[in-house]
Amino acid sequence: FLVPMQFLGPILDEALAREVVRPRATVVPIASNQVSVGTFDYADGTNAARGGLSLTWTGEAAALSEQRGKTREVTLKPHKGSIFVRVSSELAADAIAFDAQLSEAMIAAVAAGLDAAFINGNGAGQPLGIVNAPATISVAKEASQVAATLVPQNLAKMAARLNPSSWSSSVWLIHPTALVQLLQLQAKVQNVAATENVGGYSPGWFTVAADGSMTLLTRPVVVTDACAPLGTVGDVILADLRRYLVGLRADAAIARDESRYFDSDEITFRLILRIDGQPRVAEATKLRDGSNTVSPFVTLETRS
């Protein structure tokens, strides 16, 4: 049985407004079972190279040095995501605006599930999320740092490991439990011997505007429970989500069936979508000095 037309809205379009990653990511249509995206490889920035290309200085009438760019191919293969729900025919018939309620619940579940995958996915039968990606840099905690805390040094070091070209398009993703740490962010003042904390002050890095929007070190802060709880790697992420690829095969398809559980007078609804995601970059980028590295994705290691 087909679901009524008013129920068959563009689920992914509706979910988009509630998602964190996909609206800021680079979305690539997948027309078949996979799509390959060619891109320049910026992993090695030694001697100011970018994508294997370097600016060279040439004398008048001298021959130019030929270069070959360094490229890589990213393959996106759609993974199947699903929601399968079973309800009584009485609920479907008697609940106020049941179709609308079910649609709302499915949209919310799709939005939350996609963000969770794009941030935490392991790449096995699902998208490869930011936290588990080889290109992501995990900043070490401070020595003797108290468990489940955020200190200014953590955030400053995370900012320092973000690829400079990503700064203007980066956002902070934080778990709700980490918000209290930002609201009370304090820089400690120690005595001359650096053996005792004798005071503290707010560095002024975290701001809340009149409309409720938040920034940290001038970059937007987005609160989402797709991040890990406070104290666990992934509770705070600094990311340039333009560098995350989302491969979309088609909009979500919903079907309704009244025959499977005919004997118990129940109805089933099934939602299927096919989607993939992974960072565009395969590894952290070496800076011009050839040793220090940066990335479009930065996390903070577990503090426990």
Side-chain angles (χ1 to χ4, degrees):
F1 293 84
L2 296 178
V3 181
M5 286 303 297
Q6 66 268 24
F7 181 75
L8 281 173
I11 295 292
L12 288 181
D13 287 348
E14 294 291 334
L16 185 66
R18 311 175 189 213
E19 294 175 45
V20 170
V21 177
R22 190 159 57 102
R24 299 172 172 85
T26 300
V27 178
V28 180
I30 302 178
S32 59
N33 65 336
Q34 69 177 51
V35 64
S36 295
V37 180
T39 181
F40 277 87
D41 187 348
Y42 289 84
D44 189 357
T46 304
N47 297 322
R50 296 294 185 271
L53 305 177
S54 299
L55 180 66
T56 59
W57 302 100
T58 309
E60 183 178 353
L64 302 181
S65 300
E66 183 177 333
Q67 301 181 47
R68 184 183 298 272
K70 185 179 180 182
T71 61
R72 61 183 295 267
E73 189 174 75
V74 181
T75 300
L76 296 169
K77 298 182 179 181
H79 303 291
K80 181 188 289 186
S82 64
I83 298 174
F84 186 64
V85 59
R86 174 179 169 183
V87 301
S88 69
S89 61
E90 289 86 358
L91 176 62
D94 299 341
I96 298 175
F98 174 77
D99 284 356
Q101 290 192 60
L102 180 59
S103 178
E104 166 69 18
M106 283 188 167
I107 290 169
V110 166
L114 290 180
D115 275 338
F118 296 152
I119 291 176
N120 305 296
N122 60 18
Q126 59 183 283
L128 176 60
I130 292 169
V131 171
N132 295 311
T136 299
I137 291 175
S138 182
V139 171
K141 65 181 181 180
E142 295 300 292
S144 304
Q145 182 172 346
V146 176
T149 59
L150 283 174
V151 295
Q153 293 91 328
N154 297 149
L155 305 172
K157 290 178 180 179
M158 289 180 69
R161 299 300 300 277
L162 184 74
N163 193 319
S165 65
S166 290
W167 183 257
S168 62
S169 52
S170 63
V171 296
W172 296 89
L173 307 178
I174 70 167
H175 191 271
T177 55
L179 183 58
V180 66
Q181 294 285 306
L182 296 182
L183 290 168
Q184 302 181 78
L185 191 65
Q186 288 280 311
K188 302 298 183 182
V189 177
Q190 294 186 316
N191 59 15
V192 176
T195 57
E196 184 181 356
N197 293 328
V198 294
Y201 64 95
S202 171
W205 296 349
F206 181 71
T207 63
V208 182
D211 63 357
S213 60
M214 296 173 285
T215 62
L216 176 61
L217 290 170
T218 75
R219 302 311 309 150
V221 173
V222 180
V223 181
T224 171
D225 73 341
C227 288
L230 177 64
T232 308
V233 62
D235 58 344
V236 177
I237 301 171
L238 180 57
D240 176 6
L241 295 175
R242 298 177 311 163
R243 307 292 179 88
Y244 191 86
L245 296 175
V246 173
L248 181 60
R249 179 67 178 90
D251 199 356
I254 305 175
R256 166 179 171 156
D257 180 63
E258 297 184 11
S259 62
R260 180 171 180 176
Y261 297 106
F262 179 80
D263 59 339
S264 58
D265 193 23
E266 292 175 295
I267 305 170
T268 57
F269 295 85
R270 183 192 68 196
L271 178 147
I272 299 291
L273 59 80
R274 297 176 65 201
I275 201 164
D276 192 16
Q278 62 176 290
R280 181 189 291 268
V281 293
E283 57 186 297
T285 299
K286 290 182 182 178
L287 292 177
R288 185 172 60 86
D289 56 32
S291 57
N292 290 294
T293 58
V294 293
S295 172
F297 309 105
V298 185
T299 61
L300 179 62
E301 76 172 4
T302 295
R303 285 88 61 215
S304 58

